[in-house]
Amino acid sequence: MYYRQKHLLAIQGLEPPAINQLLDLAESYVLLNRSGKTQRDLLRGRTLINLFFEDSTRTRTSFELAGKRLGADVINMSVSTSSVSKGETLIDTAATLNAMHCDLLVVRHDQSGAPNLLAQIVDAAVINAGDGTHEHPTQALLDALTIKRRKGRIAGLTVAICGDIAHSRVARSNIHLLTTMGCQVRVVGPPTLIPAEVADLGVTVFHDMPRGLAGADVVMMLRLQRERMSRGQVPSAREFFRFYGLDHEKLAYAKPDAIVMHPGPMNRGVEIDSAVADDKLRSVIKEQVEMGVAVRMAVLDILSRDHRRNEP
Amino acid sequence: MNPDTLFSGLRILAAGIDLHGDLLVRDGRIHDFGQALGRPDSATLIEAEGAILCPGLIDMRAALGEPGFEYRETIASAALAAAAGGITTLAALPDTNPAIDDPALVQLLRTKGEQTGSLTILPYGAVTSGCRGEELAEIGLLHEAGAVAFTDGTRTIGPARLMRLALSYAKGFGARIVQHPEDPSLAAGGTATETEQSTRLGLPGIPAAAEAIIVARDIRLAELTGGAVHFAHVSTAEALALIRTAKANGLSVTCDTAPPYFDLNETSIGDFRTYAKLSPPLRKEQDRRAVVAALADGTIDAIASDHQPRDADDKRQPFALASAGGTGLATLLAITLAHVHNGSLSLAAALDLLTARPAALLGVETGRIAKGAPADLCLFHPDRIWQVESGRLPGKAQNTPFDGRALEGVVLGTWKRGKRVFG
């Protein structure tokens, strides 16, 4: 089944053909972007609204660039979540957006499921750009594209996702995508940051880095929010770094050619050592950013195809 | 003087009674019942092929929108929904605004119930002032004014010392403390049972153990104080096992559950369906099955609606921000009957859980069929089908977790003190 949904709300539920279709299309956009050419007629006259209830410079910029490269009119809306009751804002904003005849709506929200709620109300195709601790589907797609280009394949690889799994939407989307595509997925972190019954999602749980990283092809680090320390889920940043921060010593347990990924923004010296983050032989963090634009172009392309087809 | 009503040729079912015959209502009371009663002149005749006449249902746990949340539901609207559900007596939670922590408010609710003409409201008194969980409310004065038992509603009486005091003090008035068993610190910020599903959805979880922890503690405190504790809407296997043991040990421990906890499981949340957001949250399938088993073996003393009216704005929110609670008045009987139809519960046991047993807990004379007892009656057809549809339920609140459910069991009529109030 190729991609048939109106929205992109989650990776969970997508089948390999739909994922491959998105990745193949994204790959063609990588080549296009590198060649310096553009395709500004594809989304000409379409309105893309970046609706961000949570700050995110890099994801918003990536979607903005993707939309502009395809010729869409891009509008950025940042909505303060503190001003009014959040739910009212969401419903009211949706009504406003409908009146504006927005075609593609990119949403980031601090509440899990907020894009699902919006998708029920607005006419636009909704793209989840990160909702609470639920999913961040385009991040998982760009991670998959990065892995595929570096490793030549996705199926059969061993991927270790490390750190704060419990509060990570990136981890959830990656778990769904990578297990669907045939990877051996491990999650590595202190028990307080591993969500309930996560093994039922098809992953293996580790609480120490040497065993968790042993033989891994890909090491995916996650951002650790400072809030985890204040809420007592981790005693201190230095203790976290000692046991779960990725330095070259721990990376040595992975395969010699293992790549290191991070969705950004990084907390250097907390979950990742600068020496690893900047290691050009191992770190693909900058490449992830490049893949992000291409993946988002592919998503915008696919989700607007029905509309384009229906036009005279 | 009201004319008599003769129910003729029906199955009459109540605690200790199961017969096919007639029942005569005179002056608001059950005058007689048995086989082939004569029809007095001018008596209204009620006949219904295949229908069952039982006592009006006693719902021992429901929130009303009054006072303070009239936008959700008024007492008049709740009374309509109750009558449509065959409910003639309802115990109302005190965590309103203001909370029912003053004798005048107890009297107000009782009077408002009388004014509906169809529903007896039995107010719960607040355990603590304002249901804030700090200092004890005037339990004695509230009791004297007619509070049936004491609870802080959907708020757990958290500190062990406070619960000890409440159990101990209420014991002096022979009053029961009704607990919402959920450890507040474990549940803080949580919106769904902590399972694979909450992990998938990225929703902050509440471990099922949060219920058992409070149940275990409060059983121990009931033992310490000699007080009577009642656990509301019990939803987990572990808590039920603790209650079963406490009962076997002769402690004054009772409990109820509500239809969502024996009819639904966590999967009803699906893709963030806020109508299925309840407190306590829907559980795993094995817990649901344990609740069914505890209904069948008698561990659970009553089925209550756990009615919590909400309006669209309370629910049209991202899941974690949406208000927890579902309506339950109109569906109480039919959801219970679904578990009679599927063989997990006998009809007699199901009706006892909805009538005689909660009546005994609340100390009221209704909930039974006896000569001279108030003629609060419910007539229903056990097999007739209908579908739950949010937007078309009786009363104002439409936030049912059972939306779309096809059910067998239709209330044909409800009588309050001999007067027909529904059907």
Side-chain angles (χ1 to χ4, degrees):
Chain A
M1 276 288 278
Y2 289 126
Y3 201 87
R4 292 277 169 77
Q5 298 178 36
K6 184 186 173 188
H7 310 287
L8 176 62
L9 301 174
I11 295 293
Q12 196 199 334
L14 294 187
E15 300 288 337
I19 293 168
N20 280 324
Q21 184 192 12
L22 284 165
L23 294 181
D24 291 347
L25 188 59
E27 186 124 37
S28 73
Y29 280 118
V30 174
L31 301 176
L32 184 83
N33 289 341
R34 284 189 179 171
S35 73
K37 290 181 196 149
T38 57
Q39 204 175 347
R40 292 193 193 273
D41 50 340
L42 196 75
L43 297 183
R44 189 180 303 281
R46 310 251 157 242
T47 305
L48 165 73
I49 298 185
N50 274 322
L51 180 62
F52 277 59
F53 292 87
E54 222 183 43
D55 289 338
S56 161
T57 312
R58 62 178 62 209
T59 304
R60 183 182 53 70
T61 311
S62 181
F63 271 107
E64 185 173 356
L65 198 53
K68 285 183 171 166
R69 285 200 176 150
L70 295 176
D73 297 323
V74 182
I75 293 160
N76 292 319
M77 285 177 71
S78 294
V79 186
S80 161
T81 47
S82 56
S83 52
V84 235
S85 152
K86 291 171 196 171
E88 283 171 3
T89 307
L90 197 57
I91 301 294
D92 295 347
T93 310
T96 311
L97 294 171
N98 259 352
M100 289 176 179
H101 303 295
C102 157
D103 300 294
L104 293 152
L105 181 64
V106 176
V107 185
R108 159 143 323 174
H109 201 285
D110 66 350
Q111 290 292 325
S112 300
N116 301 62
L117 181 59
L118 272 174
Q120 290 169 22
I121 306 164
V122 299
D123 300 325
V126 176
I127 299 157
N128 180 3
D131 62 327
T133 53
H134 176 221
E135 285 225 34
H136 192 352
T138 56
Q139 178 71 42
L141 288 165
L142 75 88
D143 289 341
L145 183 59
T146 309
I147 293 169
K148 193 180 168 199
R149 288 173 58 89
R150 279 289 177 137
K151 293 288 172 190
R153 65 190 169 118
I154 298 175
L157 296 177
T158 297
V159 182
I161 307 176
C162 310
D164 185 0
I165 312 295
H167 304 89
S168 176
R169 51 198 175 208
V170 174
R172 282 171 180 75
S173 286
N174 267 306
I175 287 169
H176 296 312
L177 192 150
L178 296 170
T179 54
T180 302
M181 299 304 282
C183 292
Q184 303 295 315
V185 181
R186 303 169 179 178
V187 297
V188 190
T192 48
L193 296 179
I194 301 290
E197 300 178 7
V198 72
D200 291 347
L201 304 187
V203 303
T204 313
V205 179
F206 291 88
H207 299 307
D208 70 288
M209 291 287 271
R211 293 203 312 132
L213 296 195
D217 297 288
V218 178
V219 180
M220 197 178 274
M221 301 307 298
L222 300 170
R223 179 178 168 80
L224 183 78
Q225 311 272 355
R226 293 268 161 197
E227 191 186 281
R228 304 299 155 229
M229 267 75 85
S230 61
R231 289 201 180 170
Q233 279 145 327
V234 173
S236 70
R238 71 172 187 176
E239 174 155 329
F240 185 81
F241 184 73
R242 166 72 183 80
F243 293 101
Y244 298 101
L246 187 68
D247 51 20
H248 272 117
E249 192 186 326
K250 296 193 191 83
L251 183 57
Y253 289 97
K255 280 192 184 159
D257 62 347
I259 55 170
V260 174
M261 307 179 76
H262 193 296
M266 285 181 279
N267 281 315
R268 289 166 183 267
V270 179
E271 72 265 0
I272 192 163
D273 188 32
S274 278
V276 173
D278 300 332
D279 182 344
K280 289 192 176 101
L281 294 173
R282 313 300 292 275
S283 167
V284 296
I285 295 167
K286 281 178 192 150
E287 196 172 327
Q288 287 174 274
V289 178
E290 184 193 356
M291 294 306 118
V293 177
V295 153
R296 283 156 187 140
M297 289 169 79
V299 169
L300 297 177
D301 180 348
I302 293 257
L303 291 184
S304 59
R305 277 184 183 179
D306 279 349
H307 273 284
R308 299 206 306 269
R309 205 174 292 131
N310 291 340
E311 284 188 353
Chain B
M1 189 72 51
N2 288 326
D4 297 348
T5 303
L6 180 69
F7 295 88
S8 178
L10 299 161
R11 183 175 178 192
I12 299 168
L13 199 52
I17 293 165
D18 185 0
L19 60 88
H20 199 88
D22 303 346
L23 183 145
L24 181 67
V25 172
R26 179 168 293 164
D27 299 334
R29 292 190 174 265
I30 297 168
H31 184 72
D32 198 4
F33 63 97
Q35 254 122 43
L37 301 183
R39 181 183 178 186
D41 295 340
S42 82
T44 308
L45 185 67
I46 306 287
E47 291 174 302
E49 189 73 31
I52 295 171
L53 185 67
C54 71
L57 309 189
I58 314 279
D59 180 2
M60 73 172 297
R61 183 182 178 88
L64 300 174
E66 288 187 55
F69 300 94
E70 289 80 0
Y71 74 95
R72 289 174 171 167
E73 191 168 67
T74 59
I75 285 173
S77 127
L80 283 178
I87 298 164
T88 50
T89 299
L90 170 156
L93 292 174
D95 47 344
T96 44
N97 185 20
I100 310 304
D101 60 1
D102 188 282
L105 291 166
V106 172
Q107 283 150 5
L108 174 79
L109 280 183
R110 283 197 170 258
T111 305
K112 285 217 168 199
E114 289 304 314
Q115 286 167 352
T116 67
S118 65
L119 183 66
T120 298
I121 294 175
L122 304 173
Y124 280 111
V127 172
T128 63
S129 297
C131 294
R132 282 187 301 270
E134 290 157 11
E135 69 283 356
L136 286 185
E138 292 168 322
I139 287 175
L141 294 175
L142 290 165
H143 177 73
E144 192 176 59
V148 279
F150 295 86
T151 179
D152 276 353
T154 51
R155 288 193 60 161
T156 305
I157 300 152
R161 179 179 174 276
L162 184 64
M163 186 60 176
R164 178 192 182 175
L165 283 176
L167 283 166
S168 182
Y169 190 76
K171 180 188 165 195
F173 298 96
R176 189 176 268 116
I177 301 292
V178 175
Q179 175 73 295
H180 167 74
E182 185 174 63
D183 185 89
S185 67
L186 278 176
T191 60
T193 303
E194 192 176 279
T195 63
E196 179 202 343
Q197 170 163 289
S198 69
T199 290
R200 275 179 196 278
L201 295 175
L203 293 174
I206 302 173
E211 181 170 280
I213 285 167
I214 292 294
V215 167
R217 183 199 75 177
D218 289 356
I219 287 171
R220 191 67 191 81
L221 291 173
E223 198 175 2
L224 177 68
T225 58
V229 66
H230 176 92
F231 298 107
H233 45 214
V234 178
S235 60
T236 62
E238 201 182 347
L240 287 163
L242 290 164
I243 293 165
R244 196 173 282 125
T245 305
K247 287 184 160 195
N249 292 341
L251 295 175
S252 190
V253 172
T254 52
C255 70
D256 68 73
T257 194
Y261 304 109
F262 59 85
D263 192 67
L264 304 175
N265 63 28
E266 58 172 353
T267 60
S268 292
I269 292 172
D271 268 349
F272 304 101
R273 270 189 68 225
T274 57
Y275 277 22
K277 180 176 176 179
L278 306 174
S279 176
L282 290 171
R283 306 295 190 184
K284 286 188 161 195
E285 174 61 12
Q286 64 245 43
D287 283 316
R288 185 196 69 80
R289 278 196 240 123
V291 175
V292 172
L295 286 169
D297 74 13
T299 303
I300 295 173
D301 298 276
I303 297 172
S305 73
D306 209 13
H307 180 71
Q308 288 282 346
R310 296 291 181 270
D311 87 338
D313 289 343
D314 293 325
K315 287 289 188 182
R316 289 229 307 186
Q317 306 235 23
F319 195 89
L321 301 177
S323 178
T327 59
L329 301 175
T331 48
L332 175 61
L333 177 63
I335 297 285
T336 304
L337 288 176
H339 295 265
V340 173
H341 293 309
N342 74 14
S344 32
L345 211 54
S346 76
L347 181 58
L351 289 179
D352 276 358
L353 286 159
L354 294 168
T355 56
R357 296 179 72 188
L361 285 173
L362 297 167
V364 293
E365 59 166 347
T366 48
R368 66 207 173 100
I369 285 179
K371 285 184 193 177
D376 286 7
L377 298 165
C378 166
L379 180 70
F380 67 97
H381 197 294
D383 306 321
R384 202 168 285 178
I385 59 166
W386 64 294
Q387 190 171 23
V388 182
E389 197 181 332
S390 174
R392 302 191 64 173
L393 290 171
K396 189 173 182 210
Q398 299 293 321
N399 54 305
T400 173
F402 300 107
D403 194 20
R405 183 101 153 79
L407 291 168
E408 288 175 78
V410 169
V411 176
L412 303 174
T414 306
W415 284 261
K416 183 70 186 174
R417 284 186 217 95
K419 191 178 94 176
R420 189 162 194 162
V421 293
F422 173 76

